[in-house]
Amino acid sequence: MTADPECLFCKIIAGEIPAEILHSTERTVAFRDINPQAPLHVLVVPRDHAPNAAASAEAGPEMFAEIAVTARAIATAEGYDDHRLVFNTGAGVGQTVFHTHGHVLAGRSMTWPPG
Ligand code: 5GP
Ligand code: ZN
Protein backbone atom coordinates (compact mmCIF):
# COMPACT_ATOMS: atom_id res chain seq x y z
CA MET A 1 0.00 0.00 0.00
CA THR A 2 1.54 3.31 -1.03
CA ALA A 3 0.99 6.46 1.03
CA ASP A 4 2.39 9.97 0.90
CA PRO A 5 3.01 11.31 4.43
CA GLU A 6 2.29 14.85 3.25
CA CYS A 7 -1.03 13.96 1.58
CA LEU A 8 -4.29 15.08 3.22
CA PHE A 9 -6.33 12.11 1.96
CA CYS A 10 -3.62 9.61 2.95
CA LYS A 11 -3.89 11.12 6.45
CA ILE A 12 -7.69 10.66 6.41
CA ILE A 13 -7.26 7.06 5.24
CA ALA A 14 -4.76 6.46 8.05
CA GLY A 15 -7.19 7.92 10.59
CA GLU A 16 -4.84 10.80 11.42
CA ILE A 17 -7.41 13.40 10.32
CA PRO A 18 -11.08 12.80 11.16
CA ALA A 19 -13.71 12.40 8.45
CA GLU A 20 -17.23 11.02 8.25
CA ILE A 21 -16.56 7.72 6.54
CA LEU A 22 -19.56 6.16 4.79
CA HIS A 23 -17.94 3.18 3.10
CA SER A 24 -14.64 1.37 3.38
CA THR A 25 -13.13 -1.65 1.65
CA GLU A 26 -9.64 -3.13 1.32
CA ARG A 27 -9.06 -0.84 -1.64
CA THR A 28 -11.23 2.27 -1.19
CA VAL A 29 -12.54 4.69 1.41
CA ALA A 30 -15.50 7.06 0.97
CA PHE A 31 -16.12 10.08 3.22
CA ARG A 32 -18.23 13.23 3.17
CA ASP A 33 -16.69 16.31 1.60
CA ILE A 34 -15.90 18.98 4.21
CA ASN A 35 -17.39 21.68 1.95
CA PRO A 36 -20.42 20.02 0.34
CA GLN A 37 -21.62 21.34 -3.02
CA ALA A 38 -24.85 19.31 -3.01
CA PRO A 39 -27.06 17.60 -0.39
CA LEU A 40 -24.94 14.49 -1.02
CA HIS A 41 -21.25 15.17 -1.62
CA VAL A 42 -18.95 12.24 -0.92
CA LEU A 43 -15.39 11.59 -2.02
CA VAL A 44 -14.44 8.05 -3.04
CA VAL A 45 -10.70 7.53 -2.84
CA PRO A 46 -8.36 4.60 -3.46
CA ARG A 47 -6.29 3.64 -0.42
CA ASP A 48 -3.20 3.62 -2.67
CA HIS A 49 -1.84 7.10 -3.20
CA ALA A 50 -1.79 8.33 -6.81
CA PRO A 51 -2.15 11.95 -7.93
CA ASN A 52 -5.23 11.58 -10.15
CA ALA A 53 -7.73 9.13 -11.60
CA ALA A 54 -5.71 8.37 -14.74
CA ALA A 55 -2.63 7.55 -12.65
CA SER A 56 -4.71 5.21 -10.48
CA ALA A 57 -6.15 3.57 -13.59
CA GLU A 58 -2.67 3.09 -15.05
CA ALA A 59 -1.69 1.26 -11.86
CA GLY A 60 -4.75 -1.01 -12.15
CA PRO A 61 -7.77 -0.22 -14.33
CA GLU A 62 -10.22 -2.02 -12.02
CA MET A 63 -9.87 0.85 -9.52
CA PHE A 64 -11.85 3.11 -11.84
CA ALA A 65 -14.68 0.58 -11.97
CA GLU A 66 -14.65 0.12 -8.22
CA ILE A 67 -15.00 3.86 -7.65
CA ALA A 68 -17.94 4.03 -10.06
CA VAL A 69 -19.72 1.07 -8.44
CA THR A 70 -19.07 2.48 -4.96
CA ALA A 71 -20.39 5.89 -6.02
CA ARG A 72 -23.65 4.38 -7.20
CA ALA A 73 -23.97 2.22 -4.07
CA ILE A 74 -23.52 5.25 -1.82
CA ALA A 75 -25.99 7.39 -3.78
CA THR A 76 -28.56 4.59 -3.68
CA ALA A 77 -28.01 3.96 0.04
CA GLU A 78 -28.49 7.69 0.71
CA GLY A 79 -31.78 7.64 -1.22
CA TYR A 80 -30.80 9.16 -4.56
CA ASP A 81 -31.66 7.59 -7.92
CA ASP A 82 -29.30 9.89 -9.82
CA HIS A 83 -25.83 11.17 -9.11
CA ARG A 84 -22.90 12.87 -10.79
CA LEU A 85 -19.39 11.38 -10.51
CA VAL A 86 -16.61 13.92 -11.17
CA PHE A 87 -12.84 13.57 -11.30
CA ASN A 88 -10.96 16.86 -11.46
CA THR A 89 -7.56 16.23 -13.01
CA GLY A 90 -5.15 19.15 -12.76
CA ALA A 91 -5.11 22.47 -10.93
CA GLY A 92 -6.38 24.20 -14.09
CA VAL A 93 -9.78 22.48 -13.75
CA GLY A 94 -10.02 22.85 -9.99
CA GLN A 95 -8.11 19.92 -8.51
CA THR A 96 -6.78 20.96 -5.10
CA VAL A 97 -5.98 17.61 -3.47
CA PHE A 98 -3.60 15.48 -5.48
CA HIS A 99 -4.79 12.08 -4.29
CA THR A 100 -7.29 10.45 -6.66
CA HIS A 101 -10.89 11.10 -5.65
CA GLY A 102 -14.24 10.79 -7.33
CA HIS A 103 -16.75 13.42 -6.22
CA VAL A 104 -20.21 11.83 -5.80
CA LEU A 105 -22.83 14.59 -6.00
CA ALA A 106 -26.59 14.19 -5.70
CA GLY A 107 -29.74 15.78 -4.37
CA ARG A 108 -30.12 18.93 -6.43
CA SER A 109 -30.61 19.82 -10.08
CA MET A 110 -27.37 20.29 -12.02
CA THR A 111 -26.47 22.13 -15.17
CA TRP A 112 -24.52 20.87 -18.15
CA PRO A 113 -21.78 21.65 -19.00
CA PRO A 114 -20.40 22.06 -15.48
CA GLY A 115 -18.98 25.50 -14.71
P1 5GP B 1 -10.70 18.78 -5.74
O1 5GP B 1 -10.84 20.26 -5.71
O2 5GP B 1 -9.24 18.36 -5.58
O3 5GP B 1 -11.36 18.09 -6.89
O4 5GP B 1 -11.49 18.23 -4.47
C1 5GP B 1 -10.95 18.24 -3.18
C2 5GP B 1 -12.12 18.19 -2.24
O5 5GP B 1 -11.63 17.87 -0.95
C3 5GP B 1 -12.87 19.52 -2.11
O6 5GP B 1 -14.22 19.34 -2.52
C4 5GP B 1 -12.72 19.87 -0.64
O7 5GP B 1 -13.89 20.46 -0.09
C5 5GP B 1 -12.40 18.54 0.00
N1 5GP B 1 -11.61 18.63 1.21
C6 5GP B 1 -10.53 19.42 1.41
N2 5GP B 1 -10.03 19.23 2.64
C7 5GP B 1 -10.82 18.30 3.23
C8 5GP B 1 -10.80 17.67 4.53
O8 5GP B 1 -9.95 17.93 5.38
N3 5GP B 1 -11.78 16.77 4.79
C9 5GP B 1 -12.74 16.44 3.87
N4 5GP B 1 -13.66 15.54 4.24
N5 5GP B 1 -12.78 16.99 2.63
C10 5GP B 1 -11.83 17.91 2.32
ZN1 ZN C 1 -2.55 10.41 -0.73
Side-chain angles (χ1 to χ4, degrees), residues 4 7 9-10 49-50 98-99:
D4 174 348
C7 170
F9 289 173
C10 284
H49 179 89
F98 292 86
H99 178 129

Coordinates of all heavy atoms in Angstrom, one line a residue, residues 4 7 9-10 49-50 98-99, ligand 2:
D4 N 1.5 8.8 0.9 CA 2.4 10.0 0.9 C 2.2 10.7 2.2 O 1.1 11.1 2.5 CB 2.0 10.9 -0.3 CG 2.7 12.2 -0.3 OD1 3.4 12.5 0.7 OD2 2.6 12.9 -1.3
C7 N 0.2 13.9 2.3 CA -1.0 14.0 1.6 C -2.2 14.0 2.6 O -2.3 13.1 3.4 CB -1.1 12.8 0.6 SG -2.8 12.6 -0.1
F9 N -5.4 13.3 2.0 CA -6.3 12.1 2.0 C -5.6 10.9 2.5 O -6.3 10.0 3.1 CB -6.9 11.9 0.6 CG -7.9 13.0 0.2 CD1 -8.4 13.0 -1.1 CD2 -8.4 13.9 1.1 CE1 -9.3 14.0 -1.5 CE2 -9.3 14.9 0.7 CZ -9.8 14.9 -0.6
C10 N -4.3 10.7 2.3 CA -3.6 9.6 3.0 C -3.8 9.7 4.5 O -3.9 8.7 5.1 CB -2.1 9.6 2.5 SG -1.8 9.0 0.9
H49 N -2.0 5.7 -2.8 CA -1.8 7.1 -3.2 C -1.4 7.1 -4.7 O -0.5 6.5 -5.1 CB -0.8 7.8 -2.4 CG -0.5 9.2 -2.8 ND1 -1.2 10.3 -2.3 CD2 0.3 9.7 -3.8 CE1 -0.8 11.4 -2.9 NE2 0.1 11.0 -3.8
A50 N -2.2 8.0 -5.4 CA -1.8 8.3 -6.8 C -2.4 9.7 -7.0 O -3.4 10.1 -6.4 CB -2.3 7.3 -7.8
F98 N -4.2 16.3 -4.4 CA -3.6 15.5 -5.5 C -3.4 14.0 -5.0 O -2.4 13.4 -5.1 CB -2.3 16.1 -6.0 CG -2.6 17.4 -6.7 CD1 -2.8 18.6 -6.0 CD2 -2.9 17.4 -8.1 CE1 -3.1 19.8 -6.7 CE2 -3.3 18.6 -8.7 CZ -3.4 19.7 -8.0
H99 N -4.6 13.5 -4.6 CA -4.8 12.1 -4.3 C -6.1 11.8 -5.0 O -7.1 12.4 -4.7 CB -4.8 11.8 -2.8 CG -5.1 10.4 -2.4 ND1 -4.3 9.7 -1.5 CD2 -6.1 9.5 -2.7 CE1 -4.8 8.5 -1.3 NE2 -5.8 8.4 -2.1
Ligands
ZN2 ZN -2.5 10.4 -0.7

